[in-house]
């Protein structure tokens, strides 16, 4: 299955994009300085109605970077304390359209991308572009924040953790939701015990009683939301207390 996908992707165009994918000439002058960052995916290069198809293509793209490890390096995950989420950064995410996409981000040691269609990340102007909603990885999503708080005097931390585990598992097993990030355990602060789990959905409905996050724009810079770490990452990378970016 994956061999067939690899042949189809490498020889033609990604489904739904119309962009032919080919590697730049090894003898051509670098397109950008060594250490430049490139992206493959987002709705510019990858959008699928099937989550399964999306995941297969995402796995293939990660494999391309791994195979080119002499000149390309996958961007690492942001290390956040007491946090679950960035380890899923290669997984597909749902779009507001109901489709699925992914983002594979890597650093080029030569300054050239793996494929000519890969998107160059302008880190110099990134924050202003993100705030304007014009960054190359800005995606239109349905962002949800599942926030639970209890009175610490009447609710045990173990009870809260059991609730947290149940909700996170519900998000993970859902066919229409994608976990963005969650507290690994409940935390106690100011007499309250609770947790937060952020996720995206293929539509305006999330888990029962959840509503679209009021603090997060639907236009999300996916590089940061998924937890990629890159040089010069601006302060908005700390998304409120968690993962969905609260800029507007």
């Amino acid at each position: 299955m994956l061999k067939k996908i690899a042949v189809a992707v490498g020889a033609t165009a990604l489904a739904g994009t119309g962009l032919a994918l080919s590697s730049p000439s090894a003898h051509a002058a670098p397109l950008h300085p060594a250490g430049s960052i490139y992206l493959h995916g987002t709705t510019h290069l990858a959008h699928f109605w099937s989550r399964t198809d999306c995941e297969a293509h995402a796995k293939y793209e990660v494999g391309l970077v791994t195979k080119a490890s002499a000149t390309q390096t996958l961007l690492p995950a942001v290390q956040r304390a007491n946090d679950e989420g960035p380890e899923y950064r290669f997984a597909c995410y749902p779009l507001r359209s109901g489709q699925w996409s992914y983002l594979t981000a890597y650093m080029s040691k030569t300054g050239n991308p793996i494929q000519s269609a890969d998107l160059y990340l302008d880190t110099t102007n990134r924050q202003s572009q993100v705030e304007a909603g014009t960054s190359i990885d800005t995606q239109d999503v349905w962002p949800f924040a599942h926030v639970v708080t209890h009175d610490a005097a009447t609710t045990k931390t173990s009870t809260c953790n059991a609730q947290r585990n149940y909700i996170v598992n519900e998000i993970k097993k859902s066919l229409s939701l994608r976990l963005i990030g969650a507290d690994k355990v409940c935390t106690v602060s100011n007499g309250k015990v609770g947790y937060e789990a952020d996720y995206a959905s293929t539509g305006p409905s999330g888990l029962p009683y959840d509503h679209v996050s009021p603090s997060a724009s639907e236009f999300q810079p996916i590089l940061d939301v998924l937890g990629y770490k890159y040089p010069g990452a601006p302060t908005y990378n700390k998304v409120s207390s968690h993962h969905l970016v609260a800029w507007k």
Side-chain angles (χ1 to χ4, degrees):
M1 176 65 178
L2 284 178
K3 285 186 178 180
K4 292 181 180 179
I5 289 173
V7 171
V9 174
T12 58
L14 264 178
T17 68
L19 292 173
L21 304 182
S22 60
S23 298
S25 170
H27 303 290
L31 294 178
H32 294 284
S36 292
I37 295 172
Y38 289 92
L39 315 177
H40 192 94
T42 73
T43 49
H44 294 282
L45 298 174
H47 44 274
F48 306 88
W49 288 109
S50 165
R51 184 176 190 172
T52 301
D53 288 346
C54 180
E55 295 288 1
H57 279 269
K59 184 175 181 179
Y60 170 75
E61 290 299 329
V62 170
L64 283 185
V65 182
T66 302
K67 289 177 183 177
S69 59
T71 57
Q72 317 290 343
T73 304
L74 287 167
L75 290 190
V78 174
Q79 297 300 313
R80 300 184 178 112
N82 187 36
D83 193 40
E84 178 176 0
E87 63 269 29
Y88 307 127
R89 66 191 186 282
F90 302 132
C92 290
Y93 56 87
L95 302 161
R96 208 172 181 91
S97 64
Q99 294 179 301
W100 292 81
S101 189
Y102 62 84
L103 190 156
T104 304
Y106 63 92
M107 184 271 288
S108 171
K109 300 174 185 177
T110 64
N112 283 327
I114 295 176
Q115 300 167 122
S116 60
D118 292 352
L119 307 173
Y120 169 70
L121 181 71
D122 178 8
T123 56
T124 303
N125 300 304
R126 179 163 172 78
Q127 182 154 0
S128 61
Q129 291 173 351
V130 166
E131 291 171 351
T134 60
S135 65
I136 59 172
D137 60 315
T138 294
Q139 299 284 260
D140 195 2
V141 302
W142 292 102
F144 287 81
H146 184 91
V147 182
V148 173
T149 57
H150 300 288
D151 189 330
T154 58
T155 301
K156 295 180 179 179
T157 302
S158 58
T159 300
C160 179
N161 284 335
Q163 294 174 346
R164 176 265 176 214
N165 294 342
Y166 172 79
I167 289 297
V168 169
N169 185 59
E170 288 295 295
I171 296 171
K172 287 180 178 179
K173 72 181 185 182
S174 171
L175 298 178
S176 61
L177 307 179
R178 156 72 149 82
L179 182 69
I180 298 299
D183 293 321
K184 287 184 178 179
V185 295
C186 290
T187 57
V188 179
S189 178
N190 298 322
K192 300 290 183 180
V193 58
Y195 68 92
E196 180 173 338
D198 296 335
Y199 60 95
S201 172
T202 53
S205 298
L207 295 174
Y209 309 111
D210 276 359
H211 302 284
V212 174
S213 176
S215 64
S217 168
E218 67 269 25
F219 301 108
Q220 293 286 315
I222 295 297
L223 187 72
D224 297 277
V225 169
L226 296 185
Y228 278 101
K229 182 179 181 180
Y230 58 94
T235 54
Y236 67 77
N237 204 20
K238 184 177 181 181
V239 286
S240 59
S241 61
H242 289 82
H243 316 82
L244 296 173
V245 179
W247 55 266
K248 292 188 177 182

